[in-house]
Amino acid sequence: MPSISKEKYNELETRIKRIFTTEMEITDFTGDTVPSTQELPDKNRGLIITNCTILFVDIRSSTKLSDKSQAKNMAKIYRAFARSMSMCVYESGGRVRQIAGDRVMGVFVDDAEENSVHKAMVAAQAILTVVEYLFNPLCRKNVSNKEIECGIGLDTGRVLTTSIGMKHQGEDSRDLVWAGKTANVASKHTDLAEAKEIFVTKRFYDKLTQPFKTDSEGNSIWKKGYRVKGDSIFEGYGAHAFYLNELVEEMGGEPEEKRATASSDVSIESEGIDTSQIVTNIVHGVESKVDGLLSNFEQVVLREVSVTAKENQAEQKQQELHRREQVVKKKEDDLKKKEQDIEKVLAYKKKELIYDVRMTSLRDRTNNMKLQDFLIELKEVQNLGAEIGKKPGTVHNDLYVWQIVTYLHRNNESELAFRILVEQLLEDLPYASIPLESNSVTIIKKVGREKEYLQAVLHHIQHHNPSVQDVLRLRNVLKELGMEKEIVHYPGLFIE
């Protein structure tokens, strides 16, 4: 089974890295024909086209193109459709740059004689005309009486194009990609276009000249509207059945729907019938009914106006009431939040006061307390401190850490005294080098934790930037612990 080899995998990795890490060369497009892959080799190079118009056209869903259609027939329809659309694009001065099943993309650029917007507009009209007068009649006749409807989307603007794909073993899969908002929006407008409709963006419509905007009687051809696709709203202008008149005449007739309307007109010119009297009777009958309706119409209109005015007043009052309710609710929410904030501050101040009272009391009585009572109250004060955001080391500082350590050592709680000494160093608390060095040395030696103390000292120096005086104090403690050899290996402690 064919598979990608390790060698090819490495080659692919190299090429991908080259694409991602090589600066892309961007130049302005100066030609008057749509660029092709021959003008953009397989490298990080792109062309900026300032005035570029993109056209998409695809087949709309139709009950006449059902699931019962044979694959052969559908293939014929797709081939004929792509050929027809491509011809319309090319003959209007554009280039086909993508065909995907029932979807064709045309690209147009300005040249010395015509701008891209007008070229694309002519192509769109030609597409609708060819589908209506040439494609569908032939399709109905030759492919099981089937026909198609299509929608067209257009946008114009600035586009970046670059070459993608590769040549491989004689195969050439290269194509151009059209990056930027213009191509994407044109595609979205195609999806939103109705059958037999050209749906264009506002910027495209604004660039059209008057002959493309109104008919021979001066009526607007286009209808402005907003359409939704997914989470996005698209503004645009739509024109239905906007055909090329000269092409229609050459193909011999009017649009099919117009022919249907004309053929459905009933002729009343028949033998033995007084047509003028029939028309007169119809007119008189209509007039009598209209007079009867008009007699009450004015009163109905006045009542409708009155009701509408009252409804508007009620709606305005309702909106004003709703607005006031929202203002009151906001004020209530603000007051509630302020009350909650005040309660939090008061609760914190209360806890802070309780802590200060209990801490001061314990600090004043420490030296005269029994060890068991001291440890119980110390734990309680630490818990009170935690409720107001104080770490145990900060609580020890408030209680005078040198007093606590001396007291614990005196009452044979050297292990706890040692932990407090290390805690001061690790948390960068005040008086980290205090209590007195003599007490520190005695406590550390008693618990036999000289190396652990050394690590705490090194952490303090590396992370908390102590003063030179504090470093000297800590160094003296280490000397008295007999750790002078270890000191020389640590530059932070080596101070002469």
Side-chain angles (χ1 to χ4, degrees):
M1 179 182 295
S3 177
I4 186 168
S5 64
K6 179 64 176 176
E7 180 183 356
K8 291 297 181 181
Y9 176 88
N10 293 335
E11 180 184 342
L12 177 59
E13 181 181 21
T14 301
R15 292 194 177 198
I16 293 174
K17 284 182 179 179
R18 185 183 303 128
I19 292 173
F20 283 148
T21 57
T22 303
E23 187 70 24
M24 193 162 190
E25 177 188 345
I26 304 296
T27 56
D28 289 331
F29 175 73
T30 57
D32 57 4
T33 58
V34 179
S36 63
T37 53
Q38 285 72 29
E39 297 173 64
L40 284 164
D42 184 15
K43 59 175 63 176
N44 274 9
R45 183 187 170 199
L47 290 176
I48 290 287
I49 307 175
T50 303
N51 297 312
C52 181
T53 299
I54 304 293
L55 176 151
F56 281 99
V57 55
D58 66 7
I59 299 175
R60 304 285 94 152
S61 299
S62 173
T63 56
K64 295 184 179 180
L65 285 178
S66 65
D67 293 337
K68 297 179 181 179
S69 298
Q70 296 180 358
K72 293 187 298 182
N73 289 339
M74 292 307 301
K76 289 180 180 179
I77 290 173
Y78 287 147
R79 291 191 70 242
F81 176 78
R83 180 66 57 85
S84 302
M85 301 304 98
S86 298
M87 180 68 73
C88 290
V89 170
Y90 281 115
E91 291 301 313
S92 302
R95 294 292 184 271
V96 173
R97 286 296 177 258
Q98 187 182 98
I99 298 177
D102 65 347
R103 196 176 185 91
V104 176
M105 174 188 181
V107 181
F108 302 82
V109 297
D110 292 354
D111 60 33
E113 298 179 356
E114 191 63 88
N115 64 50
S116 63
V117 169
H118 289 165
K119 291 181 185 178
M121 190 66 250
V122 171
Q125 291 179 269
I127 287 170
L128 291 184
T129 307
V130 166
V131 169
E132 185 66 29
Y133 292 104
L134 180 61
F135 187 98
N136 278 339
L138 290 173
C139 190
R140 285 192 297 268
K141 181 178 180 180
N142 297 285
V143 191
S144 302
N145 201 34
K146 300 190 184 303
E147 64 179 22
I148 68 167
E149 292 179 331
C150 63
I152 303 170
L154 289 156
D155 191 19
T156 187
R158 181 182 173 90
V159 174
L160 168 64
T161 184
T162 187
S163 176
I164 60 173
M166 64 182 291
K167 289 183 178 180
H168 182 71
Q169 295 180 352
E171 294 283 341
D172 189 351
S173 67
R174 291 178 304 152
D175 199 355
L176 295 181
V177 65
W178 304 82
K181 185 168 64 174
T182 303
N184 185 47
V185 172
S187 178
K188 292 291 192 303
H189 274 60
T190 307
D191 296 336
L192 295 167
E194 298 174 356
K196 301 183 182 181
E197 183 187 30
I198 304 169
F199 189 47
V200 305
T201 64
K202 182 178 185 302
R203 55 178 165 263
F204 181 93
Y205 176 82
D206 289 342
K207 290 186 177 182
L208 284 177
T209 55
Q210 202 61 30
F212 287 104
K213 291 185 176 181
T214 57
D215 60 19
S216 58
E217 298 178 358
N219 300 314
S220 177
I221 297 171
W222 301 87
K223 183 178 180 181
K224 181 179 179 180
Y226 297 86
R227 300 181 190 180
V228 178
K229 183 173 177 63
D231 296 330
S232 302
I233 299 176
F234 293 85
E235 176 187 8
Y237 290 79
H240 282 270
F242 190 8
Y243 302 111
L244 284 176
N245 292 332
E246 59 272 21
L247 192 56
V248 171
E249 294 173 0
E250 288 181 11
M251 292 181 178
E254 295 181 341
E256 189 169 287
E257 60 270 24
K258 291 185 179 180
R259 296 201 301 274
T261 302
S263 62
S264 64
D265 292 341
V266 178
S267 174
I268 58 175
E269 296 290 342
S270 300
E271 184 177 357
I273 298 177
D274 187 351
T275 57
S276 61
Q277 185 60 47
I278 292 175
V279 173
T280 301
N281 291 339
I282 292 173
V283 171
H284 284 312
V286 172
E287 286 179 348
S288 63
K289 290 183 179 180
V290 170
D291 289 339
L293 291 172
L294 288 177
S295 63
N296 295 321
F297 183 72
E298 185 177 357
Q299 294 300 320
V300 172
V301 171
L302 291 175
R303 288 176 59 191
E304 183 178 7
V305 170
S306 176
V307 170
T308 302
K310 290 179 180 179
E311 288 178 345
N312 290 337
Q313 291 175 359
E315 178 66 21
Q316 290 174 0
K317 289 181 180 180
Q318 183 67 26
Q319 291 176 356
E320 178 63 19
L321 180 60
H322 179 70
R323 187 189 67 79
R324 291 182 180 181
E325 288 176 349
Q326 293 297 318
V327 171
V328 171
K329 185 178 183 303
K330 185 177 185 307
K331 289 183 178 180
E332 290 177 348
D333 292 342
D334 291 343
L335 287 173
K336 186 175 181 180
K337 185 177 183 304
K338 288 180 180 179
E339 289 174 351
Q340 291 173 346
D341 292 342
I342 291 172
E343 289 175 0
K344 288 180 182 179
V345 172
L346 291 175
Y348 179 85
K349 290 295 183 183
K350 183 178 178 181
K351 290 178 181 179
E352 194 175 45
L353 180 60
I354 295 172
Y355 169 79
D356 288 340
V357 172
R358 293 290 302 277
M359 182 273 297
T360 302
S361 173
L362 178 58
R363 186 174 62 195
D364 293 342
R365 294 182 292 112
T366 294
N367 291 325
N368 299 318
M369 293 179 70
K370 293 181 179 180
L371 177 63
Q372 184 176 2
D373 294 337
F374 172 77
L375 294 176
I376 292 173
E377 289 197 35
L378 176 62
K379 184 64 176 175
E380 292 174 350
V381 171
Q382 287 176 334
N383 291 338
L384 290 171
E387 291 181 6
I388 59 175
K390 289 180 177 285
K391 294 182 178 180
T394 306
V395 175
H396 297 155
N397 279 333
D398 292 341
L399 292 169
Y400 299 156
V401 65
W402 57 269
Q403 177 177 267
I404 297 174
V405 171
T406 303
Y407 171 83
L408 291 173
H409 177 58
R410 189 170 66 242
N411 286 274
N412 297 317
E413 278 292 332
S414 299
E415 180 66 31
L416 179 55
F418 175 77
R419 289 206 304 272
I420 291 174
L421 286 174
V422 171
E423 175 187 81
Q424 298 295 112
L425 291 167
L426 296 179
E427 295 187 14
D428 190 25
L429 295 163
Y431 317 117
S433 59
I434 308 235
L436 299 175
E437 290 86 343
S438 57
N439 287 339
S440 301
V441 171
T442 303
I443 292 168
I444 296 166
K445 284 184 175 180
K446 185 170 182 179
V447 298
R449 307 272 275 281
E450 290 87 344
K451 290 186 178 180
E452 184 177 342
Y453 183 78
L454 172 62
Q455 294 304 316
V457 169
L458 293 175
H459 178 89
H460 183 74
I461 292 172
Q462 292 172 359
H463 296 89
H464 304 314
N465 194 27
S467 66
V468 173
Q469 185 179 6
D470 286 344
V471 173
L472 289 173
R473 284 179 175 175
L474 293 169
R475 182 177 176 185
N476 289 336
V477 172
L478 293 174
K479 282 184 177 180
E480 292 189 33
L481 289 172
M483 304 184 75
E484 287 184 282
K485 292 181 180 180
E486 284 83 351
I487 292 175
V488 298
H489 297 298
Y490 301 102
L493 288 169
F494 196 73
I495 301 175
E496 294 298 337

